[in-house]
Amino acid sequence: MDMSRTGDVWWKNAVIYCLDVETFQDSDGDGIGDFNGLTQRIDHLAGLGVTCIWLMPFYPSPNQDDGYDIVDYYGVDPRLGTLGDLAVFVRTARDRGIRVIADLVVNHSSDRHPWFLSAAADRNSPYRDWYVWRDEIPEGGPEDLVFPDAETSNWEWHEETKQYFLHRFYRHQPDLNIGNPAVREEICKIVGFWLQLGLSGFRVDAVPYLLETHGVDLDTHDWLRDLRSFTMRRCGDALLMGEVNLPYQEVRRFYGDEGGGELNMCLDFNMNQALALALVREDAGALVHCLRAMPALHADDGWAHFARNHDEWSLDKLTEAERQQVFKAFGPKEDMQLFGRGLRRRIPTMLKGDQDHIRLVYSLIFALPGAPVLFYGEEIGMAENLDIPGRMSVRSPMQWSDEPNGGFSSAPPEMLSRPVVTGGKWGAKVLNAAAQEHEPDSMLNWTERLIRRRRETPEIAFGEWSFIPFPDAAIFALRYDWGGRTVLVLHNLGKRACRSECRPDGAEAWASLTNIFGQGGFDLAADGSLRIELPARGVLWLRVRPR
């Protein structure tokens, strides 16, 4: 691919930053983050090098599920500001070279949405078929519970109209009926509305559940292709990034089995769980196995890699023995775990504050074939707050300074939408963005350098990857070739320094190697033999200069 064409598929080389407006910056002292506050902090993200902001739900909501229970798909929650405030933010972000995408949550609505209120009031309502109703719980229907701590069934009896309605998530979030053409048309209107206001795409929530129609005669993948076509007609370079936590071959279907045409990108839950196992074992085997299983994609499509997201660190793809191994290392206490399948901690606390180990994780994420995704606060090494229940533990307010409430809000602490992290090691008095700006080797400045190097290394986004065959199991080494350019990315997962040697294919034609990121020793012999020395948890990115 010609360098000039990379902007046509910008998502492949993007650096995506996920944030919750409610917990990022409060501008008016009511204890709740808002769009005005986010706009005031845009230069923090621009300076970091972020190229795409992913907004968690900001729509009007009863807020029973942190905004994922929506009552109006065309508005902004009044607590967070107005449509005008959002428009100013999008315009300001664009001025800084940052695109904005948002969560598209159309698997379900809130049970307080006017559509459901009408549907639940009368079986003859025009909105009745906008949801999934059954006289009896159907055999062979969904049985897996997304929230087993709160729900015992995916079907809820509705006494007034004497039928069950489907909810794959909480009972207050009834599933929309994608089999209804009117619902599909409405989803297109929602997409078109936000694209018209300046968004550059969407992270599509819970895609597999969205497409499960339970007996409705509809090819759901045809519909997903129609949605992609509609989106591209409205905005030719818009992104549809899917949340698809399934085995690789099933994920592949959501890109479109025949030459793409559905989602542009999917969050890579398989790689995320392999990362957990590789870190615990100090062995690259899990990552190597995962990469070998990763299906090929259409040239315009890509993967999105993350260390932590806004939910629990789900380990559902691991065996029970593997999961217990990760629990023992990263979350041995019961209150650190969730649903028996995941962790509700952030990376720094799981790795006991070991800076080399923490930085190894993020270098790995940025070196995998795909685009990296950061969750807010990761750039400064924020911790979780286990006093916040459930998945919300990782969604505490951003720590900006050593001021009260970490500079997030001037409101009294009891008025905050969520409590800040406290304590002598992880609290904002010690750990905050303002202090790290003045520390050359802080996590913030290191992350800025990492982002810059990643953006300057499009080989990772667009090139062909292959393994570099070092014999040491602790070394995870990838090679990227693109347009006559070659980059090597090396990581030592072990807690001991290592030396190793191999002979990469075609290395006899390499003239020299240049260190572009990280630390370590390397020597390239005339016959193409490559010798490396990596410190414990060391990372080393090298660019090849051909003869």
PDB file of all heavy atoms in Angstrom, residues 279 307 346-365 378-382 425-426 431 443 446-447 450 537 539:
ATOM      1  N   LEU A 279       1.723 -13.400  30.443  1.00  0.00           N
ATOM      2  CA  LEU A 279       2.354 -12.608  31.501  1.00  0.00           C
ATOM      3  C   LEU A 279       2.549 -13.431  32.768  1.00  0.00           C
ATOM      4  O   LEU A 279       3.594 -13.352  33.413  1.00  0.00           O
ATOM      5  CB  LEU A 279       1.500 -11.373  31.803  1.00  0.00           C
ATOM      6  CG  LEU A 279       1.423 -10.300  30.713  1.00  0.00           C
ATOM      7  CD1 LEU A 279       0.394  -9.244  31.084  1.00  0.00           C
ATOM      8  CD2 LEU A 279       2.784  -9.664  30.472  1.00  0.00           C
ATOM      9  N   ALA A 307      -5.153  -3.743  26.669  1.00  0.00           N
ATOM     10  CA  ALA A 307      -4.734  -4.415  27.893  1.00  0.00           C
ATOM     11  C   ALA A 307      -5.913  -4.484  28.859  1.00  0.00           C
ATOM     12  O   ALA A 307      -6.253  -5.541  29.372  1.00  0.00           O
ATOM     13  CB  ALA A 307      -3.556  -3.687  28.520  1.00  0.00           C
ATOM     14  N   ARG A 346      -7.070  -2.960  37.566  1.00  0.00           N
ATOM     15  CA  ARG A 346      -6.286  -2.377  36.484  1.00  0.00           C
ATOM     16  C   ARG A 346      -4.885  -2.991  36.469  1.00  0.00           C
ATOM     17  O   ARG A 346      -4.451  -3.621  37.434  1.00  0.00           O
ATOM     18  CB  ARG A 346      -6.210  -0.856  36.628  1.00  0.00           C
ATOM     19  CG  ARG A 346      -7.491  -0.102  36.182  1.00  0.00           C
ATOM     20  CD  ARG A 346      -7.278   1.389  36.302  1.00  0.00           C
ATOM     21  NE  ARG A 346      -8.412   2.193  35.862  1.00  0.00           N
ATOM     22  CZ  ARG A 346      -8.391   2.986  34.784  1.00  0.00           C
ATOM     23  NH1 ARG A 346      -7.289   3.043  34.028  1.00  0.00           N
ATOM     24  NH2 ARG A 346      -9.433   3.719  34.466  1.00  0.00           N
ATOM     25  N   ILE A 347      -4.170  -2.782  35.370  1.00  0.00           N
ATOM     26  CA  ILE A 347      -2.867  -3.403  35.159  1.00  0.00           C
ATOM     27  C   ILE A 347      -1.851  -3.058  36.261  1.00  0.00           C
ATOM     28  O   ILE A 347      -1.170  -3.944  36.779  1.00  0.00           O
ATOM     29  CB  ILE A 347      -2.298  -3.008  33.776  1.00  0.00           C
ATOM     30  CG1 ILE A 347      -3.212  -3.531  32.652  1.00  0.00           C
ATOM     31  CG2 ILE A 347      -0.878  -3.532  33.600  1.00  0.00           C
ATOM     32  CD1 ILE A 347      -3.282  -5.025  32.528  1.00  0.00           C
ATOM     33  N   PRO A 348      -1.691  -1.793  36.656  1.00  0.00           N
ATOM     34  CA  PRO A 348      -0.632  -1.472  37.624  1.00  0.00           C
ATOM     35  C   PRO A 348      -0.754  -2.216  38.945  1.00  0.00           C
ATOM     36  O   PRO A 348       0.259  -2.644  39.513  1.00  0.00           O
ATOM     37  CB  PRO A 348      -0.778   0.043  37.811  1.00  0.00           C
ATOM     38  CG  PRO A 348      -1.360   0.522  36.522  1.00  0.00           C
ATOM     39  CD  PRO A 348      -2.333  -0.560  36.137  1.00  0.00           C
ATOM     40  N   THR A 349      -1.979  -2.375  39.472  1.00  0.00           N
ATOM     41  CA  THR A 349      -2.117  -3.082  40.742  1.00  0.00           C
ATOM     42  C   THR A 349      -1.917  -4.584  40.549  1.00  0.00           C
ATOM     43  O   THR A 349      -1.357  -5.251  41.427  1.00  0.00           O
ATOM     44  CB  THR A 349      -3.493  -2.810  41.367  1.00  0.00           C
ATOM     45  OG1 THR A 349      -4.521  -3.054  40.385  1.00  0.00           O
ATOM     46  CG2 THR A 349      -3.594  -1.377  41.841  1.00  0.00           C
ATOM     47  N   MET A 350      -2.369  -5.121  39.433  1.00  0.00           N
ATOM     48  CA  MET A 350      -2.154  -6.542  39.170  1.00  0.00           C
ATOM     49  C   MET A 350      -0.666  -6.869  39.096  1.00  0.00           C
ATOM     50  O   MET A 350      -0.235  -7.956  39.474  1.00  0.00           O
ATOM     51  CB  MET A 350      -2.856  -6.964  37.882  1.00  0.00           C
ATOM     52  CG  MET A 350      -4.365  -7.057  38.018  1.00  0.00           C
ATOM     53  SD  MET A 350      -5.163  -7.843  36.598  1.00  0.00           S
ATOM     54  CE  MET A 350      -5.193  -6.486  35.432  1.00  0.00           C
ATOM     55  N   LEU A 351       0.129  -5.916  38.591  1.00  0.00           N
ATOM     56  CA  LEU A 351       1.573  -6.122  38.459  1.00  0.00           C
ATOM     57  C   LEU A 351       2.347  -5.493  39.614  1.00  0.00           C
ATOM     58  O   LEU A 351       3.553  -5.279  39.510  1.00  0.00           O
ATOM     59  CB  LEU A 351       2.052  -5.560  37.112  1.00  0.00           C
ATOM     60  CG  LEU A 351       1.398  -6.193  35.878  1.00  0.00           C
ATOM     61  CD1 LEU A 351       1.990  -5.618  34.602  1.00  0.00           C
ATOM     62  CD2 LEU A 351       1.545  -7.711  35.889  1.00  0.00           C
ATOM     63  N   LYS A 352       1.616  -5.170  40.701  1.00  0.00           N
ATOM     64  CA  LYS A 352       2.228  -4.698  41.955  1.00  0.00           C
ATOM     65  C   LYS A 352       3.097  -3.456  41.766  1.00  0.00           C
ATOM     66  O   LYS A 352       4.093  -3.252  42.458  1.00  0.00           O
ATOM     67  CB  LYS A 352       3.043  -5.829  42.596  1.00  0.00           C
ATOM     68  CG  LYS A 352       2.216  -7.068  42.919  1.00  0.00           C
ATOM     69  CD  LYS A 352       3.077  -8.166  43.504  1.00  0.00           C
ATOM     70  CE  LYS A 352       2.232  -9.366  43.931  1.00  0.00           C
ATOM     71  NZ  LYS A 352       1.470  -9.980  42.809  1.00  0.00           N
ATOM     72  N   GLY A 353       2.716  -2.637  40.796  1.00  0.00           N
ATOM     73  CA  GLY A 353       3.405  -1.371  40.586  1.00  0.00           C
ATOM     74  C   GLY A 353       4.764  -1.472  39.929  1.00  0.00           C
ATOM     75  O   GLY A 353       5.475  -0.467  39.828  1.00  0.00           O
ATOM     76  N   ASP A 354       5.151  -2.647  39.449  1.00  0.00           N
ATOM     77  CA  ASP A 354       6.447  -2.839  38.792  1.00  0.00           C
ATOM     78  C   ASP A 354       6.434  -2.101  37.450  1.00  0.00           C
ATOM     79  O   ASP A 354       5.801  -2.539  36.491  1.00  0.00           O
ATOM     80  CB  ASP A 354       6.692  -4.336  38.583  1.00  0.00           C
ATOM     81  CG  ASP A 354       8.062  -4.646  37.985  1.00  0.00           C
ATOM     82  OD1 ASP A 354       8.569  -3.830  37.192  1.00  0.00           O
ATOM     83  OD2 ASP A 354       8.610  -5.723  38.278  1.00  0.00           O
ATOM     84  N   GLN A 355       7.160  -0.987  37.372  1.00  0.00           N
ATOM     85  CA  GLN A 355       7.101  -0.134  36.183  1.00  0.00           C
ATOM     86  C   GLN A 355       7.593  -0.847  34.926  1.00  0.00           C
ATOM     87  O   GLN A 355       7.021  -0.676  33.843  1.00  0.00           O
ATOM     88  CB  GLN A 355       7.909   1.141  36.412  1.00  0.00           C
ATOM     89  CG  GLN A 355       7.224   2.135  37.326  1.00  0.00           C
ATOM     90  CD  GLN A 355       5.915   2.651  36.745  1.00  0.00           C
ATOM     91  OE1 GLN A 355       5.877   3.193  35.639  1.00  0.00           O
ATOM     92  NE2 GLN A 355       4.833   2.476  37.477  1.00  0.00           N
ATOM     93  N   ASP A 356       8.667  -1.625  35.031  1.00  0.00           N
ATOM     94  CA  ASP A 356       9.155  -2.330  33.848  1.00  0.00           C
ATOM     95  C   ASP A 356       8.115  -3.330  33.336  1.00  0.00           C
ATOM     96  O   ASP A 356       7.925  -3.472  32.130  1.00  0.00           O
ATOM     97  CB  ASP A 356      10.464  -3.072  34.169  1.00  0.00           C
ATOM     98  CG  ASP A 356      11.619  -2.116  34.393  1.00  0.00           C
ATOM     99  OD1 ASP A 356      11.571  -0.989  33.875  1.00  0.00           O
ATOM    100  OD2 ASP A 356      12.573  -2.495  35.104  1.00  0.00           O
ATOM    101  N   HIS A 357       7.446  -3.999  34.269  1.00  0.00           N
ATOM    102  CA  HIS A 357       6.431  -4.981  33.893  1.00  0.00           C
ATOM    103  C   HIS A 357       5.222  -4.295  33.252  1.00  0.00           C
ATOM    104  O   HIS A 357       4.673  -4.763  32.244  1.00  0.00           O
ATOM    105  CB  HIS A 357       6.010  -5.774  35.132  1.00  0.00           C
ATOM    106  CG  HIS A 357       5.578  -7.169  34.845  1.00  0.00           C
ATOM    107  ND1 HIS A 357       5.241  -8.076  35.824  1.00  0.00           N
ATOM    108  CD2 HIS A 357       5.408  -7.837  33.669  1.00  0.00           C
ATOM    109  CE1 HIS A 357       4.904  -9.223  35.282  1.00  0.00           C
ATOM    110  NE2 HIS A 357       4.982  -9.101  33.975  1.00  0.00           N
ATOM    111  N   ILE A 358       4.806  -3.182  33.850  1.00  0.00           N
ATOM    112  CA  ILE A 358       3.665  -2.434  33.321  1.00  0.00           C
ATOM    113  C   ILE A 358       3.962  -1.940  31.904  1.00  0.00           C
ATOM    114  O   ILE A 358       3.144  -2.069  30.989  1.00  0.00           O
ATOM    115  CB  ILE A 358       3.340  -1.240  34.245  1.00  0.00           C
ATOM    116  CG1 ILE A 358       2.857  -1.745  35.610  1.00  0.00           C
ATOM    117  CG2 ILE A 358       2.285  -0.330  33.614  1.00  0.00           C
ATOM    118  CD1 ILE A 358       2.841  -0.673  36.690  1.00  0.00           C
ATOM    119  N   ARG A 359       5.149  -1.406  31.706  1.00  0.00           N
ATOM    120  CA  ARG A 359       5.507  -0.858  30.393  1.00  0.00           C
ATOM    121  C   ARG A 359       5.673  -1.968  29.357  1.00  0.00           C
ATOM    122  O   ARG A 359       5.361  -1.764  28.168  1.00  0.00           O
ATOM    123  CB  ARG A 359       6.767  -0.008  30.524  1.00  0.00           C
ATOM    124  CG  ARG A 359       6.529   1.214  31.402  1.00  0.00           C
ATOM    125  CD  ARG A 359       7.757   2.077  31.624  1.00  0.00           C
ATOM    126  NE  ARG A 359       7.468   3.091  32.633  1.00  0.00           N
ATOM    127  CZ  ARG A 359       8.173   4.192  32.812  1.00  0.00           C
ATOM    128  NH1 ARG A 359       9.238   4.429  32.048  1.00  0.00           N
ATOM    129  NH2 ARG A 359       7.838   5.058  33.747  1.00  0.00           N
ATOM    130  N   LEU A 360       6.120  -3.130  29.791  1.00  0.00           N
ATOM    131  CA  LEU A 360       6.166  -4.278  28.889  1.00  0.00           C
ATOM    132  C   LEU A 360       4.789  -4.564  28.323  1.00  0.00           C
ATOM    133  O   LEU A 360       4.633  -4.806  27.114  1.00  0.00           O
ATOM    134  CB  LEU A 360       6.688  -5.504  29.652  1.00  0.00           C
ATOM    135  CG  LEU A 360       6.520  -6.861  28.947  1.00  0.00           C
ATOM    136  CD1 LEU A 360       7.501  -6.984  27.795  1.00  0.00           C
ATOM    137  CD2 LEU A 360       6.692  -8.007  29.941  1.00  0.00           C
ATOM    138  N   VAL A 361       3.758  -4.529  29.166  1.00  0.00           N
ATOM    139  CA  VAL A 361       2.388  -4.819  28.730  1.00  0.00           C
ATOM    140  C   VAL A 361       1.961  -3.867  27.620  1.00  0.00           C
ATOM    141  O   VAL A 361       1.439  -4.286  26.581  1.00  0.00           O
ATOM    142  CB  VAL A 361       1.407  -4.734  29.919  1.00  0.00           C
ATOM    143  CG1 VAL A 361      -0.038  -4.794  29.427  1.00  0.00           C
ATOM    144  CG2 VAL A 361       1.678  -5.856  30.916  1.00  0.00           C
ATOM    145  N   TYR A 362       2.189  -2.572  27.813  1.00  0.00           N
ATOM    146  CA  TYR A 362       1.714  -1.604  26.822  1.00  0.00           C
ATOM    147  C   TYR A 362       2.562  -1.619  25.552  1.00  0.00           C
ATOM    148  O   TYR A 362       2.029  -1.428  24.453  1.00  0.00           O
ATOM    149  CB  TYR A 362       1.617  -0.216  27.459  1.00  0.00           C
ATOM    150  CG  TYR A 362       0.507  -0.194  28.469  1.00  0.00           C
ATOM    151  CD1 TYR A 362       0.763  -0.296  29.830  1.00  0.00           C
ATOM    152  CD2 TYR A 362      -0.825  -0.174  28.052  1.00  0.00           C
ATOM    153  CE1 TYR A 362      -0.263  -0.359  30.748  1.00  0.00           C
ATOM    154  CE2 TYR A 362      -1.861  -0.221  28.954  1.00  0.00           C
ATOM    155  CZ  TYR A 362      -1.578  -0.320  30.307  1.00  0.00           C
ATOM    156  OH  TYR A 362      -2.609  -0.401  31.208  1.00  0.00           O
ATOM    157  N   SER A 363       3.841  -1.891  25.684  1.00  0.00           N
ATOM    158  CA  SER A 363       4.652  -2.067  24.473  1.00  0.00           C
ATOM    159  C   SER A 363       4.146  -3.250  23.662  1.00  0.00           C
ATOM    160  O   SER A 363       4.058  -3.188  22.436  1.00  0.00           O
ATOM    161  CB  SER A 363       6.122  -2.268  24.849  1.00  0.00           C
ATOM    162  OG  SER A 363       6.914  -2.458  23.689  1.00  0.00           O
ATOM    163  N   LEU A 364       3.762  -4.337  24.339  1.00  0.00           N
ATOM    164  CA  LEU A 364       3.190  -5.497  23.646  1.00  0.00           C
ATOM    165  C   LEU A 364       1.916  -5.132  22.901  1.00  0.00           C
ATOM    166  O   LEU A 364       1.732  -5.487  21.734  1.00  0.00           O
ATOM    167  CB  LEU A 364       2.896  -6.610  24.658  1.00  0.00           C
ATOM    168  CG  LEU A 364       4.051  -7.513  25.075  1.00  0.00           C
ATOM    169  CD1 LEU A 364       3.678  -8.322  26.307  1.00  0.00           C
ATOM    170  CD2 LEU A 364       4.433  -8.446  23.920  1.00  0.00           C
ATOM    171  N   ILE A 365       1.024  -4.407  23.573  1.00  0.00           N
ATOM    172  CA  ILE A 365      -0.247  -4.028  22.946  1.00  0.00           C
ATOM    173  C   ILE A 365      -0.005  -3.180  21.704  1.00  0.00           C
ATOM    174  O   ILE A 365      -0.661  -3.357  20.666  1.00  0.00           O
ATOM    175  CB  ILE A 365      -1.129  -3.257  23.964  1.00  0.00           C
ATOM    176  CG1 ILE A 365      -1.569  -4.173  25.109  1.00  0.00           C
ATOM    177  CG2 ILE A 365      -2.347  -2.640  23.269  1.00  0.00           C
ATOM    178  CD1 ILE A 365      -2.343  -5.392  24.670  1.00  0.00           C
ATOM    179  N   GLU A 378      -4.817   4.974  31.877  1.00  0.00           N
ATOM    180  CA  GLU A 378      -3.712   4.028  31.694  1.00  0.00           C
ATOM    181  C   GLU A 378      -2.405   4.761  31.416  1.00  0.00           C
ATOM    182  O   GLU A 378      -1.330   4.246  31.734  1.00  0.00           O
ATOM    183  CB  GLU A 378      -4.036   3.052  30.557  1.00  0.00           C
ATOM    184  CG  GLU A 378      -5.093   2.023  30.932  1.00  0.00           C
ATOM    185  CD  GLU A 378      -5.229   0.919  29.903  1.00  0.00           C
ATOM    186  OE1 GLU A 378      -5.653   1.207  28.767  1.00  0.00           O
ATOM    187  OE2 GLU A 378      -4.915  -0.238  30.234  1.00  0.00           O
ATOM    188  N   GLU A 379      -2.506   5.956  30.827  1.00  0.00           N
ATOM    189  CA  GLU A 379      -1.296   6.696  30.492  1.00  0.00           C
ATOM    190  C   GLU A 379      -0.542   7.187  31.729  1.00  0.00           C
ATOM    191  O   GLU A 379       0.631   7.553  31.638  1.00  0.00           O
ATOM    192  CB  GLU A 379      -1.615   7.871  29.563  1.00  0.00           C
ATOM    193  CG  GLU A 379      -2.342   9.041  30.204  1.00  0.00           C
ATOM    194  CD  GLU A 379      -3.853   8.907  30.184  1.00  0.00           C
ATOM    195  OE1 GLU A 379      -4.364   7.759  30.161  1.00  0.00           O
ATOM    196  OE2 GLU A 379      -4.538   9.947  30.214  1.00  0.00           O
ATOM    197  N   ILE A 380      -1.194   7.211  32.884  1.00  0.00           N
ATOM    198  CA  ILE A 380      -0.502   7.612  34.110  1.00  0.00           C
ATOM    199  C   ILE A 380      -0.377   6.445  35.094  1.00  0.00           C
ATOM    200  O   ILE A 380       0.148   6.616  36.196  1.00  0.00           O
ATOM    201  CB  ILE A 380      -1.183   8.813  34.795  1.00  0.00           C
ATOM    202  CG1 ILE A 380      -2.615   8.489  35.200  1.00  0.00           C
ATOM    203  CG2 ILE A 380      -1.126  10.043  33.894  1.00  0.00           C
ATOM    204  CD1 ILE A 380      -3.270   9.552  36.077  1.00  0.00           C
ATOM    205  N   GLY A 381      -0.870   5.272  34.726  1.00  0.00           N
ATOM    206  CA  GLY A 381      -0.773   4.114  35.615  1.00  0.00           C
ATOM    207  C   GLY A 381      -1.790   4.123  36.733  1.00  0.00           C
ATOM    208  O   GLY A 381      -1.506   3.702  37.859  1.00  0.00           O
ATOM    209  N   MET A 382      -3.022   4.578  36.452  1.00  0.00           N
ATOM    210  CA  MET A 382      -4.075   4.627  37.467  1.00  0.00           C
ATOM    211  C   MET A 382      -4.443   3.239  37.957  1.00  0.00           C
ATOM    212  O   MET A 382      -4.391   2.258  37.224  1.00  0.00           O
ATOM    213  CB  MET A 382      -5.323   5.306  36.899  1.00  0.00           C
ATOM    214  CG  MET A 382      -5.459   6.766  37.253  1.00  0.00           C
ATOM    215  SD  MET A 382      -6.964   7.519  36.568  1.00  0.00           S
ATOM    216  CE  MET A 382      -8.255   6.572  37.386  1.00  0.00           C
ATOM    217  N   LYS A 425      -0.165   5.127  47.806  1.00  0.00           N
ATOM    218  CA  LYS A 425       0.551   4.677  46.620  1.00  0.00           C
ATOM    219  C   LYS A 425      -0.202   4.985  45.333  1.00  0.00           C
ATOM    220  O   LYS A 425       0.404   5.358  44.328  1.00  0.00           O
ATOM    221  CB  LYS A 425       0.810   3.178  46.710  1.00  0.00           C
ATOM    222  CG  LYS A 425       1.658   2.641  45.554  1.00  0.00           C
ATOM    223  CD  LYS A 425       2.059   1.199  45.774  1.00  0.00           C
ATOM    224  CE  LYS A 425       2.980   0.715  44.651  1.00  0.00           C
ATOM    225  NZ  LYS A 425       3.404  -0.702  44.855  1.00  0.00           N
ATOM    226  N   TRP A 426      -1.517   4.858  45.364  1.00  0.00           N
ATOM    227  CA  TRP A 426      -2.302   4.976  44.133  1.00  0.00           C
ATOM    228  C   TRP A 426      -3.194   6.217  44.104  1.00  0.00           C
ATOM    229  O   TRP A 426      -3.776   6.525  43.069  1.00  0.00           O
ATOM    230  CB  TRP A 426      -3.177   3.728  43.951  1.00  0.00           C
ATOM    231  CG  TRP A 426      -2.388   2.458  43.939  1.00  0.00           C
ATOM    232  CD1 TRP A 426      -2.349   1.503  44.912  1.00  0.00           C
ATOM    233  CD2 TRP A 426      -1.506   1.994  42.909  1.00  0.00           C
ATOM    234  NE1 TRP A 426      -1.514   0.477  44.557  1.00  0.00           N
ATOM    235  CE2 TRP A 426      -0.985   0.749  43.329  1.00  0.00           C
ATOM    236  CE3 TRP A 426      -1.109   2.511  41.678  1.00  0.00           C
ATOM    237  CZ2 TRP A 426      -0.076   0.022  42.568  1.00  0.00           C
ATOM    238  CZ3 TRP A 426      -0.209   1.779  40.912  1.00  0.00           C
ATOM    239  CH2 TRP A 426       0.298   0.549  41.356  1.00  0.00           C
ATOM    240  N   LEU A 431      -0.157  10.061  42.587  1.00  0.00           N
ATOM    241  CA  LEU A 431      -0.210   9.632  41.198  1.00  0.00           C
ATOM    242  C   LEU A 431      -1.194  10.509  40.426  1.00  0.00           C
ATOM    243  O   LEU A 431      -2.412  10.401  40.615  1.00  0.00           O
ATOM    244  CB  LEU A 431      -0.625   8.162  41.137  1.00  0.00           C
ATOM    245  CG  LEU A 431      -0.409   7.414  39.820  1.00  0.00           C
ATOM    246  CD1 LEU A 431      -0.199   5.932  40.088  1.00  0.00           C
ATOM    247  CD2 LEU A 431      -1.590   7.592  38.866  1.00  0.00           C
ATOM    248  N   MET A 443       5.372   7.527  33.632  1.00  0.00           N
ATOM    249  CA  MET A 443       4.526   6.692  32.782  1.00  0.00           C
ATOM    250  C   MET A 443       3.877   7.538  31.684  1.00  0.00           C
ATOM    251  O   MET A 443       3.762   7.103  30.535  1.00  0.00           O
ATOM    252  CB  MET A 443       3.440   6.008  33.627  1.00  0.00           C
ATOM    253  CG  MET A 443       2.571   5.016  32.870  1.00  0.00           C
ATOM    254  SD  MET A 443       3.505   3.549  32.350  1.00  0.00           S
ATOM    255  CE  MET A 443       2.278   2.741  31.303  1.00  0.00           C
ATOM    256  N   TRP A 446       6.553   8.374  29.073  1.00  0.00           N
ATOM    257  CA  TRP A 446       6.914   7.130  28.377  1.00  0.00           C
ATOM    258  C   TRP A 446       5.814   6.727  27.392  1.00  0.00           C
ATOM    259  O   TRP A 446       6.096   6.329  26.257  1.00  0.00           O
ATOM    260  CB  TRP A 446       7.152   6.016  29.399  1.00  0.00           C
ATOM    261  CG  TRP A 446       7.532   4.708  28.768  1.00  0.00           C
ATOM    262  CD1 TRP A 446       8.791   4.277  28.452  1.00  0.00           C
ATOM    263  CD2 TRP A 446       6.646   3.651  28.381  1.00  0.00           C
ATOM    264  NE1 TRP A 446       8.740   3.024  27.882  1.00  0.00           N
ATOM    265  CE2 TRP A 446       7.443   2.616  27.830  1.00  0.00           C
ATOM    266  CE3 TRP A 446       5.264   3.470  28.436  1.00  0.00           C
ATOM    267  CZ2 TRP A 446       6.894   1.422  27.342  1.00  0.00           C
ATOM    268  CZ3 TRP A 446       4.704   2.293  27.948  1.00  0.00           C
ATOM    269  CH2 TRP A 446       5.513   1.287  27.418  1.00  0.00           C
ATOM    270  N   THR A 447       4.556   6.847  27.816  1.00  0.00           N
ATOM    271  CA  THR A 447       3.435   6.491  26.935  1.00  0.00           C
ATOM    272  C   THR A 447       3.389   7.414  25.723  1.00  0.00           C
ATOM    273  O   THR A 447       3.102   6.971  24.602  1.00  0.00           O
ATOM    274  CB  THR A 447       2.106   6.556  27.708  1.00  0.00           C
ATOM    275  OG1 THR A 447       2.169   5.694  28.843  1.00  0.00           O
ATOM    276  CG2 THR A 447       0.941   6.126  26.816  1.00  0.00           C
ATOM    277  N   LEU A 450       5.916   6.147  23.378  1.00  0.00           N
ATOM    278  CA  LEU A 450       5.439   4.899  22.772  1.00  0.00           C
ATOM    279  C   LEU A 450       4.446   5.186  21.647  1.00  0.00           C
ATOM    280  O   LEU A 450       4.530   4.600  20.557  1.00  0.00           O
ATOM    281  CB  LEU A 450       4.784   4.023  23.847  1.00  0.00           C
ATOM    282  CG  LEU A 450       4.097   2.748  23.355  1.00  0.00           C
ATOM    283  CD1 LEU A 450       5.105   1.776  22.753  1.00  0.00           C
ATOM    284  CD2 LEU A 450       3.312   2.083  24.499  1.00  0.00           C
ATOM    285  N   ARG A 537      11.989  -7.982  31.701  1.00  0.00           N
ATOM    286  CA  ARG A 537      10.788  -7.277  31.196  1.00  0.00           C
ATOM    287  C   ARG A 537      11.164  -6.257  30.125  1.00  0.00           C
ATOM    288  O   ARG A 537      10.466  -5.256  29.926  1.00  0.00           O
ATOM    289  CB  ARG A 537      10.042  -6.557  32.310  1.00  0.00           C
ATOM    290  CG  ARG A 537       9.926  -7.302  33.625  1.00  0.00           C
ATOM    291  CD  ARG A 537       9.074  -8.529  33.552  1.00  0.00           C
ATOM    292  NE  ARG A 537       8.782  -9.040  34.889  1.00  0.00           N
ATOM    293  CZ  ARG A 537       8.272 -10.222  35.146  1.00  0.00           C
ATOM    294  NH1 ARG A 537       7.980 -11.036  34.158  1.00  0.00           N
ATOM    295  NH2 ARG A 537       8.043 -10.615  36.384  1.00  0.00           N
ATOM    296  N   VAL A 539      11.986  -4.341  26.509  1.00  0.00           N
ATOM    297  CA  VAL A 539      11.379  -4.174  25.186  1.00  0.00           C
ATOM    298  C   VAL A 539      12.404  -3.513  24.269  1.00  0.00           C
ATOM    299  O   VAL A 539      13.208  -2.686  24.717  1.00  0.00           O
ATOM    300  CB  VAL A 539      10.074  -3.339  25.243  1.00  0.00           C
ATOM    301  CG1 VAL A 539       9.130  -3.886  26.299  1.00  0.00           C
ATOM    302  CG2 VAL A 539      10.352  -1.873  25.510  1.00  0.00           C
TER     303      VAL A 539
END
